[in-house]
Amino acid sequence: MKGAPPTVVQGVRPCTVMRPLTLHTTSSGPRQCVQTCSAAAQATRQPKRAASQQQFEVSVCVNKTCKKQGSQQIAQFAQDLHLPGISVRTTGCLGKCGAGPNIAMDPPGVVLNHMATPARLAEALAAVAKADVSPAVLQATQLRLAGNSLARQGDLAGAVATFTKALELGVEGGRHLLLANRAGARQAMGDPGAALQD
């Protein structure tokens, strides 16, 4: 809740960030909140191995509630990143459905809530797994989602323009989705030739 003091877990001192992560431990005992991304990063540190040397598994809940909150798009984004040392899969309910979309990261065995945007997921990957997601990748993904929204609203020309702008960024991750979406919009506009080029 806004203004609520962060809870410190295992002596980790929280930092102050604009929209801190919320984590819940999945070890035995009641789940506890960690209201800081730096605390998340510190919690993942192993005595003998740096985070960059670890293998991480990201599990994205695609159960009913999280699915409605956009978790499938988050899972697709994570998979398209092809980050070294990070595998991504979908899973069933992780609890805290009202705080979704939820993802689990192992190690350190935590559930992260409110992963509703690619930017939010990128923040989590950076904090927990020391992963680097470029701004261009985030921008291309956001444009793709905006184009999808325009297409659903019937603005096919706007969707095509938005997909094209994303493609012009030259990002490889998710490029196949942009081309497929643009082809679909062009086909719906009655331009099969342009759709075939995509």
Side-chain angles (χ1 to χ4, degrees), residues 43-175:
T44 67
R45 292 176 183 166
Q46 301 295 321
K48 297 181 180 180
R49 299 181 68 190
S52 60
Q53 298 174 321
Q54 294 178 355
Q55 296 294 313
F56 291 86
E57 181 176 81
V58 178
S59 302
V60 183
C61 173
V62 292
N63 208 25
K64 186 176 181 180
T65 302
C66 282
K67 185 177 181 180
K68 289 181 178 179
Q69 296 168 335
S71 64
Q72 284 188 316
Q73 293 182 2
I74 296 302
Q76 185 68 63
F77 170 68
Q79 291 166 347
D80 288 342
L81 290 175
H82 298 294
L83 293 171
I86 298 178
S87 62
V88 182
R89 69 183 184 93
T90 57
T91 187
C93 185
L94 296 170
K96 297 285 184 180
C97 298
N102 301 316
I103 70 170
M105 292 193 68
D106 185 34
V110 293
V111 173
L112 289 78
N113 309 128
H114 303 295
M115 296 290 110
T117 65
R120 190 76 168 143
L121 177 63
E123 178 189 354
L125 292 173
V128 179
K130 307 299 185 191
D132 182 22
V133 180
S134 74
V137 170
L138 281 177
Q139 185 179 359
T141 301
Q142 290 164 348
L143 286 169
R144 175 169 60 82
L145 297 178
N148 291 347
S149 178
L150 289 171
R152 286 193 297 268
Q153 296 170 21
D155 184 0
L156 297 176
V160 168
T162 303
F163 295 141
T164 300
K165 185 176 180 180
L167 286 165
E168 290 172 349
L169 293 173
V171 174
E172 288 302 319
R175 180 177 176 82

